[in-house]
Amino acid sequence: MSCRPPDASLSRLLQDHASERPRDECGVFGIHGHAEAANITYLGLYALQHRGQESAGICTSQGGEQFVHRAMGLVSDVFSEKVLARLPGRHAIGHVRYSTTGESLLRNAQPFCANTDGGPVAIAHNGNLVNAGAVRRELEGRGAIFSTTADSEVIVHLLARSRETSLEERLIDALSRVKGAFSLVMLTHDALIAVRDPHGFRPLVLGRLDGAWVVASETCALDLIGATVERHVDPGEVVVIRRGRLRTMRPFPKPARGAFCIFEYIYFARPDSNLPGSNVYAYRKELGRALAREHPVQADMVVPLLDSGSVAALGFAEEAGIPYETAIIRNHFVGRTFIEPAQSIRNFGVKIKHNPIRELLKGKRVALVDDSIVRGTTLNKMSTLLRNNGAREVHVRISAPPTIAPCFYGIDMPTRSELMAAGRSVDEICEAIGADSLGYVSVEGLRKLSEHLKHDHCDACFSDEYPVPIQRGDDAPQLSLFKPVGESSRDEAPE
Ligand code: AMP
């Protein structure tokens, strides 16, 4: 037997599903005023692991000095007790990353640290800047030397060059030059600063633990460390925590509308997290109910595509009055490489991750629920697989509208041409995935259901309506400058 690379679609599937949610973007965490700052940050990142599995890092500060450890890999592999013991101080920030812009390299791992004439700073950023390429070119033209390929580094350079006096004013000055999505934390020698971009694309929540202040991408991180949730950081808000005191500012012009990423509710965030306006589990269940009302089905069982479809499928089953069966079992330990047998096995790619239970499916009409079809890799052979395992009919239901447009604000999505739903009708997709019927939540249905969130959201991936415009040549670095040789463009500007 030899270890050989899988075929392209299989390789894609393995990469897409190498762990819980490997194409996610980033998670950030920060704590100010706690004796165990590094250990608590480690735990916070542990809870945010689903937001990025490529690299992890923590930076602490003590007596005007900063200490940092970053490495490729999962939080549990990157940090040991020994490593954490080398990160002293009562203040810390941390980051987990999956590459959405820039290459997958250790030098791109965050937090980014820099020495400025105002003292050392460390920055951890979640989101994508849509004008990072243009700003970078401009800064390079003025002599700046970049040491990473990540869009976030432009913030560090802008801050270092700012003429404002305090570090928080310099950060605000830097952030007013960039466009797009940023939920970020910054550590100075004496302060923790947390900021959300004016549109509020990505989440950021504020909490308290034993008198210390905590910020995190999601509330599940606060739950794990036993912190209380104070509130979500507002879009456009800058929170400065220094000597245990919190100060808040709103220095950026308010955009006409907010743009919280709706995909955080649908897919990204952990179901046990509370995002603005709703608990994620509750939202997904309602979405499943809405889907059942929009696309009723005659079926004997509702089957989730684990784990992404599980909560919506539960809502669907309850609304439709159809039994819920986990008739497809998922292998949680699928890695990026494997030893393939010399002779090809039918539907190997699908089965390595999901295996149907024949005894449950025999002669049954199945409503199969997942949250999205991106390239169609997952669902492509699923209907055949279910039929081969006894299912009489396979009706696919998706708890979101068709994914027709790429994300430029921090969610990893393929190019428009790779998206299965871009330029295809629902009937064509249904045929391509070999299902008996296919139904998506409509954009109107999604918007109606999201009214109770009481804030504006971004649904550009479903509607093709981008709240912050992207122009070719003005977007993130992956389009041109910093791509590893031989790699094709992963994103494209909207036409
Ligand atoms: P695909 O197989 O390419 O159609 O991708 C669809 C599957 O990937 C679904 O099971 C989704 O839950 C999951 N998914 C959707 N969007 C993303 C994303 N941005 N990153 C990782 N997985 C995703």
Side-chain angles (χ1 to χ4, degrees):
M1 246 189 238
S2 64
C3 185
R4 61 189 166 86
D7 67 57
S9 60
L10 187 51
S11 151
R12 168 86 64 208
L13 184 120
L14 289 172
Q15 272 172 27
D16 290 353
H17 299 291
S19 57
E20 192 61 17
R21 287 183 294 180
R23 282 185 300 178
D24 284 6
E25 1 86 308
C26 301
V28 296
F29 186 90
I31 185 160
H32 187 272
H34 198 284
E36 284 195 87
N39 286 32
I40 299 283
T41 303
Y42 158 78
L43 290 175
L45 295 183
Y46 209 96
L48 297 173
Q49 185 75 82
H50 60 286
R51 298 184 70 88
Q53 298 90 37
E54 199 172 80
S55 67
I58 295 178
C59 178
T60 59
S61 95
Q62 187 184 45
E65 251 190 287
Q66 289 194 336
F67 304 83
V68 68
H69 181 75
R70 292 171 299 226
M72 302 301 284
L74 299 177
V75 176
S76 55
D77 300 327
V78 168
F79 296 101
S80 61
E81 271 184 51
K82 237 167 140 183
V83 168
L84 289 171
R86 292 202 298 266
L87 297 171
R90 294 172 59 80
H91 320 305
I93 60 170
H95 189 263
V96 284
R97 172 173 195 263
Y98 179 78
S99 155
T100 51
T101 72
E103 307 156 55
S104 166
L105 290 174
L106 177 57
R107 69 189 147 109
N108 284 345
Q110 297 189 30
F112 288 145
C113 303
N115 279 314
T116 70
D117 53 1
V121 294
I123 287 183
H125 167 217
N126 172 205
N128 278 173
L129 307 176
V130 297
N131 66 338
V135 176
R136 181 170 173 141
R137 281 189 287 276
E138 183 200 317
L139 288 168
E140 283 177 331
R142 288 198 275 136
I145 296 170
F146 280 72
S147 53
T148 78
T149 60
D151 65 339
S152 320
E153 199 189 345
V154 299
I155 300 170
V156 182
H157 281 266
L158 288 170
L159 180 141
R161 282 163 181 255
S162 168
R163 302 231 160 119
E164 296 292 337
T165 43
S166 72
L167 280 172
E168 50 259 43
E169 278 160 10
R170 289 164 78 162
L171 176 65
I172 292 166
D173 186 29
L175 292 176
S176 51
R177 296 271 331 270
V178 297
K179 289 188 228 155
F182 52 85
S183 274
L184 67 80
V185 285
M186 178 167 116
L187 193 64
T188 71
H189 65 285
D190 68 343
L192 171 67
I193 303 172
V195 195
R196 265 179 90 200
D197 68 75
H199 287 88
F201 281 100
R202 303 272 149 235
L204 198 61
V205 65
L206 197 59
R208 299 224 70 176
L209 173 70
D210 307 334
W213 287 99
V214 187
V215 269
S217 292
E218 287 182 41
T219 59
C220 65
L222 303 192
D223 291 343
L224 178 63
I225 60 170
T228 51
V229 177
E230 288 286 310
R231 63 178 177 83
H232 297 280
V233 176
D234 283 337
E237 185 180 2
V238 178
V239 174
V240 182
I241 303 156
R242 181 176 283 119
R243 285 185 277 284
R245 298 257 282 276
L246 183 142
R247 192 159 55 95
T248 168
M249 295 175 264
R250 286 176 170 75
F252 309 113
K254 206 170 168 206
R257 49 164 294 213
F260 193 103
C261 169
I262 203 68
F263 208 51
E264 292 268 357
Y265 297 87
I266 296 171
Y267 169 81
F268 266 164
R270 257 173 54 164
D272 51 334
S273 284
N274 292 328
L275 293 177
S278 180
N279 163 258
V280 174
Y281 183 99
Y283 180 91
R284 285 184 196 165
K285 206 160 164 195
E286 278 312 310
L287 208 48
R289 286 182 178 280
L291 178 62
R293 289 193 295 273
E294 272 201 54
H295 297 283
V297 65
Q298 298 289 320
D300 302 306
M301 60 173 71
V302 174
V303 177
L305 201 74
L306 296 175
D307 294 324
S308 46
S310 58
V311 184
L314 204 55
F316 190 100
E318 279 185 13
E319 183 73 21
I322 301 172
Y324 176 90
E325 297 281 7
T326 49
I328 304 172
I329 297 302
R330 174 179 166 186
N331 181 346
H332 284 92
F333 305 98
V334 178
R336 278 177 192 228
T337 58
F338 59 94
I339 300 170
E340 215 189 331
Q343 283 203 330
S344 76
I345 297 175
R346 233 163 17 117
N347 293 334
F348 186 72
V350 195
K351 285 193 290 191
I352 199 164
K353 174 97 190 291
H354 290 109
N355 193 33
I357 306 178
R358 186 182 287 268
E359 286 64 25
L360 278 178
L361 292 167
K362 215 166 151 210
K364 296 291 196 298
R365 296 166 303 170
V366 173
L368 178 63
V369 178
D370 199 4
D371 62 33
S372 48
I373 301 177
V374 182
R375 292 184 178 87
T377 322
T378 312
L379 281 175
N380 197 11
K381 291 176 182 148
M382 194 52 78
S383 311
T384 321
L385 188 64
L386 292 182
R387 279 202 205 87
N388 290 349
N389 279 275
R392 187 147 55 95
E393 291 170 20
V394 181
H395 302 274
V396 174
R397 295 292 180 271
I398 301 295
S399 64
T403 308
I404 55 165
C407 177
F408 293 89
Y409 312 120
I411 283 176
D412 188 35
M413 293 248 185
T415 57
R416 196 176 292 258
S417 56
E418 288 172 284
L419 290 170
M420 169 155 261
R424 279 201 184 85
S425 69
V426 173
D427 284 347
E428 285 167 338
I429 302 167
C430 183
E431 203 186 318
I433 62 170
D436 290 291
S437 73
L438 170 65
Y440 286 92
V441 170
S442 60
V443 173
E444 301 69 45
L446 180 73
R447 287 179 175 173
K448 189 152 183 12
L449 183 105
S450 306
E451 274 168 11
H452 77 281
L453 300 176
K454 299 221 167 20
H455 58 73
D456 301 330
H457 57 257
C458 171
D459 55 22
C461 52
F462 307 127
S463 62
D464 211 356
E465 293 163 16
Y466 290 90
V468 175
I470 296 106
Q471 288 129 34
R472 205 169 260 286
D474 187 35
D475 53 359
Q478 72 272 27
L479 262 185
S480 52
L481 276 178
F482 322 113
K483 186 171 302 309
V485 177
E487 195 181 287
S488 66
S489 188
R490 282 148 56 93
D491 250 343
E492 62 192 8
E495 287 90 46

